[in-house]
Amino acid sequence: MRRRRRAAAAALIGAALIGTAGCGAGKASPAPQPDRASPTPSATPVTGPYVALGDSYTAGLRIPPQGGAPQGCGRSGANYPSLVARQLDLKDFTDVSCSGARTGDLTAAQRTDDGTNPPQLAALGAATRLVTLGIGGNDAGFLDVLGRCAVENVRHSLTGHGDTAPCRAYYTTGAGQGEVQRRMTDTGERLTAALDEVRRRAPQARVLLVGYPALLPQDPTLCAETLGDGIAGADIDFVVEQERQLNAMLRQRAEAAGAAFVDTYAPSTGHDMCEAAGTRWIEPLAAGQGLAPIHPNAQGQQGMAAAVLAALGQQH
């Protein structure tokens, strides 16, 4: 019976990952636009034009109100770039983020299930004064790691193996040995090139690289109900380690390129997908109606916006 439960949980994780792999916009009911607020004065005023670049965590996949073109990008009018632009009263604002984006989509057109998004860096110019970039997770295959953990756990459960961390074993001593580090290194190199290109195209802009919020808690027992028997506690620890490594790499590459790094992981601690609705910033596998599993919800976008504003010397 335990093996059946673990298989069912792993199937749910796999289905959730497949459902968001293409990062389509989906359908969402309209929601009111957030209220406009006046910017808080600071020693260094933030001016536009402002251009937002990034993947689904920036776009706000399936968070209402969905809009923009192409619709396949799943871009929300309540994502953190939109909230930042409204808070700072930046009327010259362009959001070209797109769900599913990798670093290669910054310089090449990206096909979606509903339309093609132009190269994101094409939105930059000499007049651009603010750029936020949230990307790298798809290149590094972070959700792929989570999916592999589900597969390895159910495989070991069904074959009777007693490994307490089959996913960690897969990536450290098994068939996937060295794969995570190789992808992380490759992603870092592509990110450095992308940041250099951002600087070349928008030499006067303030550039902020936005990290990823915490998906899982530090204590794996807190996720027992959310993940069931799908992933062993020791492997939840492994996934947490990989996300922290991803954010550490993003920080290092940002600082080396002269960009500011926005930490969204620390403020999102205690708001992971294993928390209750109303507290969590990340939707669980069984996401709320119309929302994307393992992605930020509206609260998450608000939290990320607050982190960006703080990095800009503003108060939300």
Side-chain angles (χ1 to χ4, degrees):
M1 179 65 71
R2 180 177 177 82
R3 292 182 186 177
R4 288 200 206 101
R5 287 200 304 270
R6 178 162 286 180
L12 178 59
I13 294 171
L17 292 170
I18 291 170
T20 57
C23 295
K27 299 293 184 182
S29 56
Q33 294 280 352
D35 293 335
R36 184 184 301 276
S38 300
T40 301
S42 71
T44 307
V46 181
T47 61
Y50 167 30
V51 177
L53 317 165
D55 58 23
S56 57
Y57 275 58
T58 297
L61 178 63
R62 298 184 189 171
I63 298 172
Q66 291 282 292
Q71 291 185 359
C73 282
R75 204 174 293 135
S76 172
N79 61 13
Y80 74 78
S82 297
L83 297 176
V84 167
R86 280 193 279 274
Q87 175 73 12
L88 299 178
D89 198 25
L90 301 179
K91 295 180 172 59
D92 194 341
F93 164 56
T94 304
D95 183 359
V96 291
S97 61
C98 192
S99 297
R102 298 171 181 256
T103 51
D105 298 312
L106 296 174
T107 54
Q110 176 189 352
R111 293 182 180 179
T112 74
D113 292 338
D114 190 357
T116 298
N117 200 42
Q120 293 191 28
L121 294 190
L124 301 178
T128 305
R129 290 297 182 269
L130 176 63
V131 177
T132 56
L133 170 62
I135 208 160
N138 291 325
D139 293 73
F142 182 71
L143 291 184
D144 294 343
V145 171
L146 186 56
R148 170 56 65 178
C149 284
V151 170
E152 290 302 308
N153 273 264
V154 72
R155 185 171 71 83
H156 281 258
S157 176
L158 294 176
T159 57
H161 292 179
D163 200 328
T164 58
C167 184
R168 183 186 295 272
Y170 173 87
Y171 282 115
T172 56
T173 60
Q177 184 176 4
E179 178 183 333
V180 171
Q181 190 54 52
R182 282 194 299 272
R183 293 186 71 165
M184 197 74 70
T185 299
D186 290 345
T187 300
E189 292 174 355
R190 289 194 292 270
L191 187 58
T192 292
L195 288 169
D196 287 346
E197 185 63 13
V198 169
R199 180 63 64 201
R200 188 187 71 80
R201 295 186 185 218
Q204 302 302 315
R206 298 175 67 174
V207 181
L208 284 71
L209 182 63
V210 182
Y212 290 89
L215 303 188
L216 295 165
Q218 303 298 310
D219 182 356
T221 63
L222 299 177
C223 242
E225 183 176 346
T226 300
L227 295 180
D229 290 327
I231 298 180
D235 275 341
I236 293 177
D237 282 341
F238 177 72
V239 175
V240 169
E241 289 173 15
Q242 300 317 301
E243 185 181 7
R244 294 181 72 174
Q245 183 181 359
L246 172 62
N247 277 316
M249 180 273 288
L250 294 174
R251 179 188 292 274
Q252 187 274 326
R253 296 288 176 163
E255 292 174 350
F261 177 74
V262 180
D263 179 12
T264 65
Y265 190 94
S268 64
T269 300
H271 299 282
D272 56 80
M273 68 179 182
C274 297
E275 294 291 339
T279 299
R280 63 179 179 247
W281 291 7
I282 305 295
E283 287 300 301
L285 301 172
Q289 185 176 9
L291 295 176
I294 323 180
H295 277 73
N297 53 30
Q299 272 189 286
Q301 292 291 336
Q302 291 164 14
M304 295 173 78
V308 171
L309 289 165
L312 290 169
Q314 307 292 310
Q315 294 182 357
H316 187 50

